């Protein structure tokens, strides 16, 4: 848990030991405290070094234990950090790998800090719904000043050693032998006065406009937090560091920590942390899993199509240091694509430079632009990113099947289309897989990985490993229209549009959803994505356009309620932001400021009049419940259909792909929090009021879980009916 050894005659080394990341469990903290006390009591020890096993200092407090922490408890970690600082002998932190959260707090209790050049430090607690409660909010501002402390503590970002040195968090960077160098330093400084090295004794560096800095920071985090409490509490704790003596600031920090721990948001955010890690451990309905399948190395990849998605994918691959071939169909498109990719890479390089990372990561020399399919002969993996057009995709996959080497993996970037239909035109359907990137693909963290009927475990393992290489979160899902993300989005958007028919304005629906914590409500999102995307899909499905049977009622399709509102908008050229108008009016085509549009109000009134709909007032609760519970209901059906293998898969997809607020833990976690009987009863109520909307009829699986007494979320999948077939 923490090994104590002597290095030379006078230095004691305490090595934190708790694989894989040296999390500070209570046993580790206890052993660390014992080590410090032992060193203090031993007159032959003149200085101490604290380091971590396996090249990592520590990733902080053991997050798994927070659920059992009593809010009244004083964190034992805080006691130990104070103990380290009070030591009569100099204590040096030797930071390798990471010193995060409580790990950094331990380091701040030390009198000196040395870090390896590749080490990262930070206070990511805010992302877990808490704050650095082992006196971190009181020590960091004293060490690096208020503006920098505000930035680090409220964003949770990790900083590399070079930036940490610049900020004053660490005293020295070494390229190798961090622990040995720390031992040397410890020997050198033994006997020197420790007072100036104790951060708790330092004043917070004063600034003339301190009040203004704190108030501006508060306004900024409140705007960004969308209901998340922890950033605001972090500011309050930092404010206490400015206004109160150290001991009283610590009391305030503790009080805020207790509040956050009991708020429910911390539980949701910590669930999301572990969900993100759980989705890496994928399983197929057949039982095959990540444990037995191994990924193949990908050195060279190709991207077909340099539209918005293709450009982002190319940028991601280049950033991940892969050799990339980018292919387009004609010279003009290729030139436009090349220019766009080059500027994205330049932008990425400048961002990396700012954060002290080496910029050769974005080396454009690794990138080849071509019109020639022959250039794909030796690639290990292809990502097709052309339009959502089945015929076009099939034509490309037929070609790939003859040109690429037999062991190449063939991925299709699609948000809804049938992977099996695409795979069927190739001679290696087991190497075909869906990779649904989210726009902009070089920024968005989610990769929905879609297994087809024939997709092999090796192909899945390779696609999941690709996600990790691209610094994305890969989630494996089954093949159905819209997969998980867009399949659940459909009933949500459908409800939003029905609410307009019934009397709402787009901004009322958006405000309700944004008030819940979404970055964007459904109408702003649709305008951003382009209304023509859905229009094309609906025309393809024969819901509107030339394929629609003559005489079909305007607001009904196969006895289900249908709203032609978005089709009408598209017929008027109102495609959303890119056209300067959609559900909102924008300052110009491509403009970003969504303004309520009087034209739309008129249009909606006339529409209601034409169809004999009496507008009614719909309150926020109904807006939210109809949109969100319709989405959640589909989630239960997706679990029952084994398209997602666990609720965590759905939640991670929604957090990383659709802007679901992390402090609500994802749609399925949210359902478990508000209670399944509640979700069921509201769906029952709305489906009785709207019997022509099948997506409001509660999923049989939700009903089953309620009948079983609403078991905890982690048990849900054990109640899914076993499949009759082997896959
Ligand atoms: C804190 O310190 C508060 C203090 C004040 C209050 C007293 N605890 O991410 P990976 C597990 S709050 C428990 O896949 P990587 C993780 O679940 C803490 N477990 O690896 C996974 O387990 P699995 C503030 C933890 O190399 C395994 O370790 N600190 C913890 O991609 C490997 O993790 C943070 O928020 C933990 N603290 O990334 C840091 N950390 O194998 C959180 C990790 O069973 N951690 N695990 O699935 C990270 O950001 C990353 O894990 C990493 C390593 C950058 C350290």
């Amino acid at each position: 848990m923490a090994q104590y050894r002597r290095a030379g005659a006078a230095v004691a080394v305490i090595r934190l030991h708790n694989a894989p990341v040296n999390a500070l469990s209570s046993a580790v903290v206890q052993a660390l405290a014992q080590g410090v006390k032992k060193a203090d009591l031993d007159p032959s020890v003149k200085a101490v070094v604290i380091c971590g096993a396996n090249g990592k200092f520590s990733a902080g407090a053991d997050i798994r234990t927070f659920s059992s922490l009593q809010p009244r408890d004083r964190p034992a970690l805080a006691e130990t950090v104070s103990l380290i600082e009070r030591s009569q002998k100099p204590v040096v932190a030797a930071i390798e790998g990471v010193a995060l959260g409580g790990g950094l707090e331990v380091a701040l209790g030390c009198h000196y800090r040395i870090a390896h050049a590749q080490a990262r430090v930070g206070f990511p607690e805010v992302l877990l719904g808490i704050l650095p409660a082992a006196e971190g909010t009181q020590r960091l501002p004293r060490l690096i000043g208020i503006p920098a402390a505000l930035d680090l503590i409220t964003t949770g970002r990790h900083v590399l050693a070079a930036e940490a040195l610049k900020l004053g968090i660490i005293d020295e960077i070494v390229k190798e032998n961090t622990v040995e160098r720390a031992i040397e330093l410890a020997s050198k400084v033994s006997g020197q006065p420790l007072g100036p090295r104790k951060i708790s004794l330092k004043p917070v560096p004063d600034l003339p406009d301190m009040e203004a800095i704190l108030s501006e920071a508060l306004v900024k985090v409140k705007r960004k937090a969308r209901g998340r409490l922890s950033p605001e509490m972090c500011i309050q704790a930092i404010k206490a560091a400015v206004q109160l003596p150290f001991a009283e600031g610590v009391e305030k920090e503790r009080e805020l920590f207790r509040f956050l721990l009991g708020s429910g948001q911390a539980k949701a955010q910590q669930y999301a942390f572990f969900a993100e890690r759980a989705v890496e451990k994928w399983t197929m309905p057949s039982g095959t899993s990540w444990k037995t399948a191994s990924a193949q190395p990908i050195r060279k990849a190709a991207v077909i199509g340099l539209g918005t998605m293709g450009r982002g994918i190319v940028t991601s691959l280049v950033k991940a240091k892969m050799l990339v071939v980018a292919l387009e169909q004609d010279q003009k498109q290729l030139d436009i694509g090349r220019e766009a990719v080059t500027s994205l890479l330049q932008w990425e390089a400048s961002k990396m430079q700012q954060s002290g990372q080496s910029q050769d990561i974005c080396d454009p020399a690794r990138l080849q632009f071509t019109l020639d399919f022959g250039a794909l002969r030796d690639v290990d993996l292809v990502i097709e990113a052309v339009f959502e057009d089945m015929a076009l995709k099939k034509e490309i996959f037929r070609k790939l099947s003859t040109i690429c080497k037999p062991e190449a993996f063939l991925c299709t970037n699609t948000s809804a289309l049938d992977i099996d239909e695409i795979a069927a035109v190739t001679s290696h359907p087991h190497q075909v897989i869906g990779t649904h990137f989210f726009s902009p693909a070089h920024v968005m963290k989610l990769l929905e990985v879609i297994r087809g009927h024939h997709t092999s475990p090796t192909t899945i393992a390779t696609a999941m490993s690709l996600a990790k290489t691209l610094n994305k979160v890969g989630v494996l899902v089954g093949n159905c229209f819209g997969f998980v993300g867009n399949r659940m989005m459909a009933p949500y958007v459908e409800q939003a549009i029905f609410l307009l028919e019934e009397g709402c304005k787009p901004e009322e629906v958006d405000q309700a959803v944004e008030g819940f914590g979404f970055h964007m409500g459904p109408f702003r999102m649709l305008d951003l994505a382009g209304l023509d995307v859905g229009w094309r899909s609906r025309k393809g499905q024969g819901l509107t356009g030339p394929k629609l049977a003559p005489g079909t009622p305007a607001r009904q399709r196969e006895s289900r309620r249908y709203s032609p509102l978005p089709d009408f908008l598209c017929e008027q050229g109102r495609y959303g932001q890119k056209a300067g108008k959609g559900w909102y009016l924008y300052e110009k085509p491509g403009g970003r400021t969504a303004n309520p549009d009087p034209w739309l109000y008129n249009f909606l009134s006339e529409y209601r009049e034409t169809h004999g709909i009496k507008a009614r007032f719909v309150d926020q609760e109904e807006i939210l419940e109809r949109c969100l519970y319709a989405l959640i209901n589909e989630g239960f059906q997706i679990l029952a259909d084994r398209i997602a293998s666990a609720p965590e898969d759905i939640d991670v997809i929604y957090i990383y792909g659709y802007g679901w607020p992390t402090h609500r833990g994802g749609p399925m976690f949210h359902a478990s929090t508000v209670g399944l009987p509640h979700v069921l009863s509201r769906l029952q109520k709305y489906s009785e009021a709207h019997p022509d909307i099948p997506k409001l009829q509660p999923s049989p699986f939700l009903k089953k879980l309620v009948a079983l007494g609403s078991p905890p979320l982690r048990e849900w999948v054990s109640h899914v009916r076993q499949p009759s077939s082997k896959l």
Side-chain angles (χ1 to χ4, degrees), residues 18-25 56 58-66 69 74-78 97-105 120 122-128 130-136 156 158 253 257 261 270 273-278 280-281 290 468:
N18 187 11
V21 293
N22 301 325
L24 299 164
S25 63
K56 293 185 184 95
S58 166
D62 187 341
I63 303 166
R64 286 182 205 279
T65 61
F66 283 151
L69 208 66
R74 176 179 185 203
L77 185 57
V98 286
L100 298 172
L104 181 56
E105 288 175 307
R120 285 182 288 148
F123 276 140
E125 285 89 338
V126 69
L127 307 173
L128 298 168
I130 53 171
L131 48 71
E135 305 178 354
H158 301 182
E253 174 191 273
F257 176 63
L261 213 53
Q270 287 155 29
F273 174 87
F274 289 115
E276 181 181 333
R277 277 135 191 99
E280 277 180 34
K281 301 180 172 107
W290 64 283
K468 197 146 179 121

Side-chain angles (χ1 to χ4, degrees), residues 349-369:
S350 75
K351 267 197 332 197
M352 284 174 168
Q353 191 177 19
Q354 277 166 21
S355 65
Q357 286 168 274
S358 120
Q359 309 144 51
D360 77 329
I361 286 177
C362 295
D363 183 2
R366 284 195 288 268
L367 180 54
Q368 175 192 355
F369 289 91

Side-chain angles (χ1 to χ4, degrees), residues 494 498 501-502 555 559-563 690 692-693:
E494 185 184 66
F498 289 159
E501 289 189 330
E502 290 166 36
R555 298 181 56 235
S559 76
R560 297 188 327 259
R561 179 168 162 190
Y562 177 83
S563 173
H690 304 276
D692 54 350
I693 309 179

